[in-house]
Amino acid sequence: MLNRDWRAEFPILARKTYLNSCSLGALSRTALARVAAFHDEWHEYGASAWYELWMGRLAELRERVARLLHARTDEVALTASVSAGLASFASALDYHRRPRVVVADLDFPTLAYAWINRPDVELVRVPSDDGFTIDPARFAAAVDERTALIATSHVCFTTGAIQPLRALAEIAHRNGALLLVDAYQSAGQVPIDVRADDIDVLLTGPLKWLLGGPGLAYIRVRSDLIPRLSPTVTGWFAARGQFEFDITSFEPNADARRFALGTPALPTVHSALGGQELIDELGVPAIRARNRALTAQLLDALAAAGMRVRGPARDDERRSAIVMIEHPDPAHAVAALARQDVIVDSRPGYVRVSPHFYNDARDIECFMNALRAAGT
Ligand SMILES: Cc1ncc(COP(=O)(O)O)c(C=O)c1O
């Protein structure tokens, strides 16, 4: 893990105490070099780079993402955003017999928005009893034989809690429903194994913990489901004969690429490959161990300072590296911290701090000192 100078890999760390990876992962020199090479190729080859190089990069990224998730490459597609992937997937379900979609109050809103305006869907939101996570019994009570799917987060963006996916899959499957997981806040910081956890559909993207920047997302659909689902929200990147340019008929791609829409953002494909290279080199289990230690240091320091966090003070198993600190004026605190070159963010009532493997103990100390100096 430490056989490399990780801090030198991320130039922002020389100038800032950067603790906001759950909004935007830091840009690495490796990702920057990949994007620079892409621009050189654009100069050098023009459009022929598509066939000679860039189509191969799309394949490389799908392969790497599949490995990260313990999935097959033909189960993975690139999409413009999690929202776009959701729109495509949601358009492929038949809601006649199963009109119900179950989401949780702590999910990111775009998950609910994929169904909220559909007159043929009954959207059910399950509550959180403790404001930190969702009791699986709440899902069990909401899922029945009219439920098409549970759609919920792996890690809750607003609490950092890790949900027990295997238990949720069992609840969905014993009712004949599917489990769709929004893994945007987990991929790259918490291990994911779609097979072991029996996950049907998973969406994530490179923006945050995968260090790849904005403009792209990933959808993984279980292989045996793919032939049964034909999205009506679609585009030419989803067509089996993409380069036949046949306007008279449409046949979806045989694999998960049927959930794609149009041309993927190539600069992000390249920065995402750079970020993914680093994540793959380290391995997510090692990153999780490192992030746990940083989070524990932060929680201990906050407790010693008499500051309260959202959720149980210490629950290593269910906590990820997103820490929500209660604060009377979080927007003011975040701005005051930024003036001291400490970058975190806020959600209503909380300062949100998210260390990643490239941070170290000094960053946590620096944050605590700046928070004290910022006052309330
Ligand atoms: C958990 C989660 N899901 C989804 C999104 C949004 O994804 P997109 O903008 O790619 O649709 C975010 C963005 O912050 C998120 O945190």
Side-chain angles (χ1 to χ4, degrees):
M1 171 102 204
L2 296 172
N3 56 358
R4 194 158 14 138
D5 184 359
W6 286 105
R7 289 186 78 86
E9 177 69 40
F10 297 92
I12 194 171
L13 300 178
R15 297 188 303 280
K16 310 273 185 195
T17 300
Y18 190 71
L19 291 164
N20 196 7
S21 295
C22 76
S23 290
L24 176 65
L27 177 61
S28 64
R29 292 187 190 282
T30 302
L32 201 56
R34 283 274 198 158
V35 177
F38 158 70
H39 285 143
D40 288 345
E41 290 159 3
W42 185 354
H43 276 314
E44 188 69 22
Y45 293 79
S48 62
W50 264 114
Y51 306 103
E52 296 189 34
L53 300 165
W54 297 337
M55 283 304 211
R57 302 275 162 68
L58 306 186
E60 182 190 349
L61 186 56
R62 288 175 61 226
E63 269 166 40
R64 282 188 184 266
V65 171
R67 235 177 291 132
L68 175 85
L69 304 175
H70 292 88
R72 284 169 28 182
T73 304
D74 63 2
E75 294 178 315
V76 173
L78 307 181
T79 172
S81 61
V82 164
S83 306
L86 278 170
S88 171
F89 178 78
S91 79
L93 294 181
D94 177 359
Y95 301 100
H96 274 95
R97 258 187 350 101
R98 292 180 174 269
R100 182 177 277 203
V101 174
V102 176
V103 300
D105 272 349
L106 296 177
D107 288 325
F108 194 81
T110 213
L111 209 51
Y113 296 169
W115 288 279
I116 204 165
N117 290 324
R118 288 189 71 123
D120 55 342
V121 169
E122 178 202 352
L123 187 67
V124 176
R125 287 187 291 110
V126 298
S128 166
D129 299 311
D130 60 2
F132 178 64
T133 191
I134 314 287
D135 184 344
R138 289 284 193 176
F139 281 107
V143 176
D144 60 16
E145 74 292 344
R146 292 175 310 119
T147 304
L149 79 161
I150 298 175
T152 194
S153 317
H154 187 191
V155 165
C156 300
F157 80 106
T158 193
T159 71
I162 303 170
Q163 293 213 78
L165 298 182
R166 175 84 212 183
L168 300 186
E170 273 164 22
I171 292 166
H173 294 159
R174 72 171 174 253
N175 288 282
L178 302 175
L179 174 65
L180 179 149
V181 175
D182 175 355
Y184 220 151
Q185 288 294 359
S186 61
Q189 68 145 335
V190 177
I192 297 174
D193 187 332
V194 291
R195 284 207 199 300
D197 284 342
D198 211 6
I199 295 163
D200 300 299
V201 183
L202 183 142
L203 292 118
T204 188
L207 176 66
K208 302 165 190 290
W209 305 94
L210 292 175
L211 318 174
L216 196 66
Y218 315 130
I219 181 168
R220 177 270 174 183
V221 181
R222 213 181 64 219
S223 58
D224 60 305
L225 274 179
I226 294 171
R228 291 156 42 196
L229 297 171
S230 291
T232 55
V233 171
T234 192
W236 73 303
F237 266 71
R240 189 188 287 249
Q242 183 186 359
F243 294 106
E244 286 161 21
F245 302 104
D246 174 9
I247 201 172
T248 62
S249 66
F250 176 86
E251 201 186 329
N253 196 304
D255 71 23
R257 282 174 291 181
R258 66 175 56 194
F259 298 98
L261 291 170
T263 310
L266 277 176
T268 312
V269 166
H270 288 80
S271 53
L273 278 167
Q276 195 63 53
E277 243 181 71
L278 303 179
I279 299 290
D280 293 348
E281 182 183 333
L282 281 162
V284 181
I287 293 173
R288 169 90 173 118
R290 165 87 171 173
N291 291 0
R292 265 187 178 191
L294 291 166
T295 305
Q297 182 195 346
L298 175 61
L299 291 168
D300 287 346
L302 289 166
M307 303 196 77
R308 286 157 50 105
V309 295
R310 193 167 188 177
R314 290 299 292 270
D315 183 346
D316 283 2
E317 286 307 313
R318 288 192 307 162
R319 263 197 183 282
S320 70
I322 299 174
V323 177
M324 307 294 289
I325 303 163
E326 286 183 18
H327 201 283
D329 190 351
H332 172 267
V334 168
L337 286 161
R339 285 193 292 276
Q340 300 177 68
D341 287 331
V342 176
I343 310 300
V344 294
D345 77 352
S346 67
R347 288 291 176 269
Y350 298 92
V351 171
R352 185 169 74 162
V353 183
S354 49
H356 208 357
F357 65 90
Y358 40 63
N359 293 115
D360 62 21
R362 283 167 305 165
D363 290 331
I364 304 295
E365 283 161 26
C366 198
F367 165 74
M368 290 303 300
N369 292 338
L371 190 63
R372 274 188 216 99
T376 52

